[in-house]
Amino acid sequence: MTDPAVTYASYLKIDELLALQEPRSQGPEHDELLFIIIHQVYELWFKELLHELDRVRQWLEDDESHRAQHTLKRILAILKVLVAQLDILETMTPLEFLTFRERLEAASGFQSDQFRQIEFVLGVKSPEALRRFPENSRARLALERRYREPTVWDAFLQYLSREGYAVAPSHLERDVSVPIEPSPELQRILLAVYRDDPKNAEFCERLVDLDEGIQEWRYRHVKMVERTIGTRRGTGGSGGEAYLRETIGRPLFPDLWEIRSQL
Ligand code: HEM
């Protein structure tokens, strides 16, 4: 028997894909399909982002900064789509959301392991976030691996050191599971990069774009949460909008922001 010819439907597993949306509300409520599809699409983009972030790290490890920058451009384009998608969900009014919200029980984007993986690879590492997932689950194993792995920022510092910058061993050998803290010593190096090294300064700017892109998503998400559920608690059990507000405005790469006023 020869294998059947590959078709659009067989290659993309369309039948399986279209069977994955299962509303829980009675009826079901009209808007629940949109809610499910948006979240599933986000998870697919998260998967692609992780794939590309790993690529950026690899290109830096190979001293291929031009290619790393090219991949970063793709990541930024995806982030724009992620932010723009919130417009679609904002067409759902608070009352429309309430028609099915209680059927979500404790489900929340708060429990997205891929979102936490993206945070981890960008340096926002938290053992509490990791421990929320059951031991030996796919999510937990993936997060444990990323918890121990160097972040994109670490790969960048290693690359800068190989480019001839005097990055101190305390940075090159730091514990990569600890959050990134600002460092005046690194800022002096970055100032030199910005002043005299256009190629690497350009790369730094793309990292700032990435940082701003993530912050933009956080801001737009919290505004959407505020207009949809006000100050109610989140289904994930947090303080809702109040919790999310605390996550806004915390930069991923603080040194790249600190140097702006010194340039
Ligand atoms: C009506 C739409 C939405 C509402 C009302 C909403 C509400 C919330 C709330 C209240 C939280 C805080 C955690 C908790 O649940 O207690 C949260 C967290 C989160 N949500 Fe949403 N959300 C919505 C749509 C989305 C979408 C479309 C995504 C895309 C994946 C998403 C991803 C996340 C993520 C990743 C977090 C964790 C953020 C963090 O811990 O920094 N949310 N959401």
Side-chain angles (χ1 to χ4, degrees):
M1 273 278 288
T2 52
D3 287 341
V6 175
T7 63
Y8 179 82
S10 70
Y11 178 60
L12 298 172
K13 305 211 181 300
I14 300 296
D15 289 350
E16 292 89 331
L17 188 65
L18 297 181
L20 293 175
Q21 296 72 41
E22 295 179 9
R24 290 175 54 86
S25 59
Q26 288 302 317
E29 291 295 343
H30 180 84
D31 283 21
E32 193 177 352
L33 185 63
L34 170 68
F35 190 77
I36 293 172
I37 287 180
I38 284 261
H39 281 84
Q40 289 184 339
V41 169
Y42 264 105
E43 287 294 332
L44 288 175
W45 281 127
F46 289 165
K47 181 172 181 175
E48 174 65 16
L49 277 181
L50 287 165
H51 188 57
E52 301 295 350
L53 285 165
D54 284 341
R55 184 83 156 171
V56 169
R57 223 176 27 185
Q58 188 60 56
W59 285 135
L60 284 172
E61 284 168 12
D62 296 345
D63 292 325
E64 296 272 12
S65 65
H66 189 73
R67 292 185 165 170
Q69 194 168 320
H70 177 72
T71 307
L72 268 178
K73 271 181 75 180
R74 177 179 294 172
I75 290 173
L76 296 170
I78 296 172
L79 267 178
K80 294 247 172 279
V81 171
L82 290 192
V83 173
Q85 273 188 184
L86 291 174
D87 289 346
I88 310 174
L89 209 46
E90 280 186 342
T91 63
M92 182 174 71
T93 66
L95 287 178
E96 282 165 343
F97 184 44
L98 286 174
T99 58
F100 62 88
R101 186 183 189 223
E102 66 184 34
R103 303 307 307 265
L104 304 179
E105 297 175 13
S108 161
F110 195 55
Q111 296 157 343
S112 164
D113 73 276
Q114 290 204 105
F115 182 78
R116 298 293 166 221
Q117 287 191 53
I118 292 172
E119 287 192 321
F120 280 18
V121 80
L122 294 175
V124 187
K125 295 196 180 176
S126 126
E128 297 83 54
L130 194 154
R131 282 195 288 268
R132 281 189 214 114
F133 296 89
E135 275 183 55
N136 289 320
S137 60
R138 173 202 55 79
R140 176 73 171 255
L141 293 173
L143 278 164
E144 280 171 352
R145 180 171 60 78
R146 292 201 181 274
Y147 189 70
R148 291 188 300 265
E149 270 177 6
T151 68
V152 167
W153 183 247
D154 292 299
F156 178 61
L157 294 185
Q158 300 280 349
Y159 159 80
L160 274 186
S161 157
R162 289 192 304 274
E163 284 280 284
Y165 290 95
V167 183
S170 57
H171 291 293
L172 297 175
E173 290 152 24
R174 77 175 196 104
D175 176 356
V176 295
S177 63
V178 171
I180 296 163
E181 292 294 337
S183 149
E185 192 192 330
L186 275 181
Q187 286 160 30
R188 277 193 290 280
I189 292 175
L190 292 169
L191 282 169
V193 169
Y194 267 78
R195 287 184 181 134
D196 301 315
D197 182 353
K199 178 187 78 167
N200 287 320
E202 191 66 25
F203 191 82
C204 288
E205 283 298 282
R206 296 296 75 76
L207 288 178
V208 175
D209 287 342
L210 170 61
D211 198 335
E212 201 174 336
I214 298 279
Q215 290 185 51
E216 194 183 346
W217 185 84
R218 289 192 197 276
Y219 174 77
R220 283 292 317 275
H221 172 262
V222 76
K223 292 313 283 181
M224 179 192 67
V225 170
E226 205 181 331
R227 71 187 275 176
T228 312
I229 60 168
T231 54
R232 285 187 173 91
R233 291 189 70 77
T235 46
S238 82
E241 179 255 5
Y243 157 76
L244 292 168
R245 269 194 186 283
E246 282 171 28
T247 66
I248 300 181
R250 267 193 227 147
L252 298 169
F253 314 122
D255 292 318
L256 288 176
W257 295 90
E258 288 287 334
I259 58 168
R260 302 230 146 225
S261 46
Q262 300 167 52
L263 278 168

